[in-house]
Amino acid sequence: MTTIKLRRGTAAQWAASNPVLAAGEPGLDTTAGLMKVGDGSAPWSDLEFITWTSDSLTDLLAEAAGRASVSALLEAPEAPPIFIPHGGNNLGYGPDSTAAWYEAAASYDTGHLDHDVYSFTGCTTDLATLHNPTIDAATTGSGPVADLTPQAFRALKVDASSWYRQGWGDAEKLITFVDTLVRYGNRVIHWPEIKNRQSSVTDPVLAMKHVIERFNLRDSVVICSAHYDTCKELAADGYHVALVASKTQVTGLTPAGLLGDGIRFLHLQAASFTNHPDTGVGPEAASDATFQTFINGGVKVIPWTLGRQSEVKRYLDMGCAGAFITSPYAAGDPSLYRRKTDPLNANRQYVAPFLTNQQGSSGSAKDDTYSDDFRGVFGEGRYKSVVAGGAGGQYVLQAWACPLADAGGTYAITAEHIIDTPHSDLSRLPIAYGLCCPTDAPFRGDNSAVGYKVYLRGNGQIQGYRYTGTGNAFLGQVASMPLLTSPPVLSTGLIGGAAISTLPVSALPGAVPAGTRLYLPTTGGAGGKGQIVTVSTGGAALGATSIPIASVTPTTEVPPGAAVPQMVPVQVTVTPSTITFKRTDTNESLVATDSAYRGGYFFIGKENGGSGNLVTSYRSVTVT
């Protein structure tokens, strides 16, 4: 069997050698995953990457997968909602405009992709895809993206390790608009927003037209712009267009005027916590009445940007055609997100969509989608929260399971909670659950919540409350073993692969009772980071320098000085008539008989309070 190999190399290798390929000789850039074909005279840097025409592989793939058609959206009497994964870094699945980001957005399987595009210097055959007008924030380079060529853009180093979610390395590469069309073609509808026409030497509109015609994608692209004249010009040339606007920008416009100028889509700024984290409402958010005016006038209105199911539902009920969304969860389609166990990415990092809420020390409620505090600890598969002194409650919505599929029946939630840094005041709440909440708006740390809260305090008290929106009712409490006041610290390192039955520790500041579970911070193994060990009969007294444990073999070495914090396993069970919070390490349970609320959403978090700094994390969440 004959094997044919192409001439190939990384982007850096091609740039260094810059050869002249023979006429018809192909060369593969393994960094970009794209090819060039030589003409016998031009060096590699002057050749364009191959793109596909309407009778190419891209088109064949589109035929097999189902061709995406803007005309079908406009003509269908009951078209499905248009859910567009929002650009920038809202997704949390990869740095903006890299192949990883686009793969994550495409994995939503909504059939739509968002692009922010800028023209390249002197280039009308491609466009840059980047959320910001400069490359400073995303790469080690600096300056306007419009000053670059496509080749220079692709060659930039994305220094994600210094600015993106923890754990991301610097191997990701930026890809251009043409690169995305090569990958996705007309299998999706593309929504590129032209960002720099007014400030660019090279007109991005000319480049956009060239690319669309080159790929024969007129019916799979909606060109977006915040400038009315640009939309009007493109619509007159037969392109699908969308006006991007806020409240001020639509002042004086009418539905009839938009439609008369060929503008069928309107992207209108919404009142949402994604746009306005502090209040959910901002000065440039269009009013419901403004939305309704354009909807009733026949314009396809798509609000930007929504991160909650409750927000999406409100705008869809209003008559909007869809929404720009920050997560598949927000689309409200269980097939996109619902799981029994929390999904992890290849790096064992939690990336499932979730919402957090934090009440600041000033007393004002602040909601924040995709809080970095709750971004999964890289490589460990656990959520971690760090909220400085004075902050109130902070909760994570387990969006991958909510709303619960068996809302009216019986279900159980399990999790392993790690008390990384106990609060100095043991009456504080290192473990707190919000249950049976009717909406996906998190608890605010006040009485405005509806549903239940069940707590484990540092002193071991398990308590339950029913919240009505105006107050709360106490449902009872049960005493359990108090939590450790400080995590043990290893005095000697542990050797990976060698079984141990004691932990060598610095003199303990307090007793560690038998049955206590501890989190051993190993750094690898088939299960990811971290192993759980159980303290043996007799435990360890105040001042002891070793802790007896059930035999365990560390998967990797653990250095001296490493903390070994307490892990508290919890199971919460909801039936039609009761809510049970159980510590499965000590087997104490609070059983509250109450049926006021059921189903809906659940949150896991903590409530800090006071001047201490309570740091907690959790992992291994399941819903059965």
Side-chain angles (χ1 to χ4, degrees), residues 492-511:
T492 303
L494 306 180
I495 300 172
I500 56 173
S501 57
T502 61
L503 291 177
V505 295
S506 301
L508 292 172

Side-chain angles (χ1 to χ4, degrees), residues 332 406 491:
D406 191 18
S491 58

Side-chain angles (χ1 to χ4, degrees), residues 5-32:
K5 294 185 177 180
L6 296 176
R7 186 172 179 178
R8 61 197 180 279
T10 64
Q13 289 169 333
W14 282 114
S17 60
N18 200 25
V20 174
L21 299 182
E25 179 186 4
L28 174 64
D29 181 331
T30 57
T31 302

Side-chain angles (χ1 to χ4, degrees), residues 7 19-26 36-44 46-47:
R7 186 172 179 178
V20 174
L21 299 182
E25 179 186 4
K36 297 182 180 184
V37 176
D39 60 8
S41 60
W44 173 266
D46 289 345
L47 297 174

Side-chain angles (χ1 to χ4, degrees), residues 303-314:
W304 57 271
T305 300
L306 309 180
R308 297 183 179 176
Q309 283 188 13
S310 52
E311 293 172 343
V312 171
K313 183 179 185 301
R314 188 171 81 83

Side-chain angles (χ1 to χ4, degrees), residues 243-262:
L243 177 65
V244 182
S246 62
K247 178 181 72 175
T248 300
Q249 290 167 307
V250 295
T251 300
L253 299 182
T254 64
L258 263 65
L259 297 176
D261 288 330

